[in-house]
Amino acid sequence: MNVFQEEYNRKRVTLEEALDSLRDGDVIATSQCAGEPTAFFDAMHTLHGKGKKYRVFAPMCFQPHEFLINPIYQETFDMDITFLMGPTRRAREAGLFSYYPGDLHNGASRWISVNGCNVFIGAATPMDRHGYMRLPLCLIHEKTFLE
């Protein structure tokens, strides 16, 4: 096993461990489109009822994730969505989150200037033998949050 794989194995956590590491008041930004962190979004509703509140920037969500569409989760997630898709359009009409008018040029940096950000969740490929991972080609705002 190479040194990169050893480091990767040492830092790797389960989805449940990642969710448990979130703290009250965390400001979370996520990747979008092909990089949407689907498994994370599918499990976010499990954070409800733990007495914590999270600020979330989820720019474009394709799937009707439970935490996005069920009104019970409003007390846990204070969310901004930038691009409305089918499920998020219906949830916005129901008042479940805020629409944040963004643009592809500086929308992420404007959001950070107002809200800050201390957690970024994105999708990546498995690490290769040289220690590299790849993010999806959709780096419209992900780069801003990573920097």
Side-chain angles (χ1 to χ4, degrees), residues 24 94 122 134:
D24 185 38
R134 310 279 188 291

Side-chain angles (χ1 to χ4, degrees), residues 19-28 52-54 118-119:
L19 289 164
D20 287 343
S21 72
L22 296 173
R23 298 181 312 267
D24 185 38
D26 275 346
V27 180
I28 304 166
K52 298 178 182 178
K53 178 93 172 166
Y54 307 95
N118 66 321
V119 176

Side-chain angles (χ1 to χ4, degrees), residues 32-119:
Q32 65 178 359
C33 299
E36 179 179 300
T38 306
F40 185 81
F41 282 168
D42 284 345
M44 278 184 74
H45 70 280
T46 64
L47 296 170
H48 178 70
K50 296 185 178 183
K52 298 178 182 178
K53 178 93 172 166
Y54 307 95
R55 181 88 173 102
V56 181
F57 180 74
M60 184 185 297
C61 301
F62 289 112
Q63 302 299 317
H65 304 288
E66 183 68 16
F67 83 105
L68 281 172
I69 61 171
N70 190 330
I72 193 172
Y73 302 113
Q74 275 186 293
E75 65 187 56
T76 304
F77 304 103
D78 178 14
M79 294 195 28
D80 286 333
I81 304 285
T82 302
F83 299 101
L84 298 177
M85 307 309 281
T88 51
R89 186 176 309 281
R90 289 187 294 279
R92 172 146 188 321
E93 290 167 357
L96 301 183
F97 59 80
S98 298
Y99 171 70
Y100 181 80
D103 61 67
L104 301 179
H105 174 66
N106 65 0
S109 59
R110 288 185 304 132
W111 192 86
I112 289 172
S113 72
V114 172
N115 299 282
C117 181
N118 66 321
V119 176

Side-chain angles (χ1 to χ4, degrees), residues 115-146:
N115 299 282
C117 181
N118 66 321
V119 176
F120 176 76
I121 305 293
T125 65
M127 186 185 71
D128 68 18
R129 63 187 176 94
H130 302 290
Y132 293 106
M133 295 180 189
R134 310 279 188 291
L135 293 174
L137 294 176
C138 181
L139 288 177
I140 294 168
H141 72 269
E142 290 85 348
K143 181 181 174 191
T144 301
F145 287 111
L146 288 170

